[in-house]
Amino acid sequence: KNSFVTTRVLREETWRAAAYRAVEDDLHISEDDLEEALVPEANEDNMCHSVTEGKTVSSSFPGIKSKYRTHMVSWKIKEDKVHVFQSCGLPLNLEKRESNPFKCDFTIAKQMGSDTKTLYWRWVSSDEAKSVRRFISLSEVTPDERWAKYASKREGPVDFPPSERALALLLEKCNIKVAAFGVDGCR
């Protein structure tokens, strides 16, 4: 889905603790191994961390304004510690990538209730990551766009869409061409 490793920062949790937790939960790399593998600059907040804040209508509680803080963390790995990330497809093997499903570098199996979901991961350059990054000011995103974004990431039933446009956005995210409905016999 062209997304980053993400998580919510829990109450009374620092951004750094949340980032370590996300890496451990999603990539299965312990905090100790991660700390040892990162370059010294990773301990300097101004070198690896930025925050975007915005106020917007909550996607979970329509009609209620909420304040959001998005933390972007960018860490560099020491050359001699790349082996720590071997299970995560490092060092890169571009030949292997071509033969992997979805041209991914590695997969992670994640338990979702009684089902196991396979997540396909790919390493990208920092320039490509910046182009994928859609962390625009949340006040510029409409409630319909926000609802469609969160609904597309949910497993199972989703809340009723706030509008017809929100439903259309969700269907488009699922590669369903809404504009084709009723054209040339399409339903």
Side-chain angles (χ1 to χ4, degrees):
K1 286 189 177 181
N2 288 335
S3 65
F4 300 98
V5 174
T6 61
T7 191
R8 287 182 185 218
V9 178
L10 304 175
R11 189 180 298 267
E12 305 301 322
E13 185 178 44
T14 65
W15 69 264
R16 188 176 297 275
Y20 285 151
R21 179 174 47 79
V23 168
E24 187 157 4
D25 289 351
D26 288 351
L27 304 181
H28 308 294
I29 296 172
S30 73
E31 181 177 333
D32 291 339
D33 286 345
L34 179 60
E35 278 188 343
E36 188 177 318
L38 297 176
V39 298
E41 293 82 22
N43 290 316
E44 298 175 30
D45 290 2
N46 63 336
M47 299 294 287
C48 66
H49 174 251
S50 62
V51 178
T52 303
E53 292 188 359
K55 288 184 181 179
T56 188
V57 176
S58 170
S59 59
S60 303
F61 304 98
I64 298 176
K65 274 222 168 206
S66 298
K67 179 180 178 183
Y68 290 89
R69 296 184 76 188
T70 302
H71 299 264
M72 179 58 106
V73 179
S74 178
W75 284 326
K76 291 185 181 177
I77 304 165
K78 295 175 187 170
E79 288 290 327
D80 64 334
K81 296 295 181 180
V82 170
H83 67 277
V84 171
F85 295 85
Q86 187 172 4
S87 65
C88 298
L90 289 180
L92 285 180
N93 181 336
L94 298 179
E95 287 179 22
K96 185 177 177 187
R97 176 188 279 178
E98 289 300 315
S99 64
N100 285 342
F102 306 108
K103 297 186 179 184
C104 68
D105 292 314
F106 65 102
T107 62
I108 298 284
K110 191 164 189 161
Q111 198 64 36
M112 308 284 279
S114 61
D115 296 327
T116 302
K117 185 175 184 178
T118 301
L119 303 176
Y120 299 89
W121 294 91
R122 180 176 169 193
W123 293 102
V124 297
S125 68
S126 58
D127 288 340
E128 189 175 347
K130 288 174 186 170
S131 72
V132 170
R133 185 170 105 181
R134 293 189 193 101
F135 288 106
I136 59 173
S137 171
L138 288 172
S139 61
E140 296 173 13
V141 178
T142 69
D144 290 340
E145 291 168 327
R146 204 168 23 267
W147 178 88
K149 174 186 172 186
Y150 290 111
S152 70
K153 293 181 179 183
R154 294 217 30 195
E155 296 287 329
V158 296
D159 295 334
F160 194 79
S163 71
E164 189 175 312
R165 183 176 184 289
L167 179 59
L169 288 167
L170 173 62
L171 294 173
E172 291 287 341
K173 281 184 163 293
C174 298
N175 293 321
I176 298 170
K177 304 297 178 216
V178 176
F181 285 4
V183 177
D184 296 329
C186 292
R187 295 183 224 192

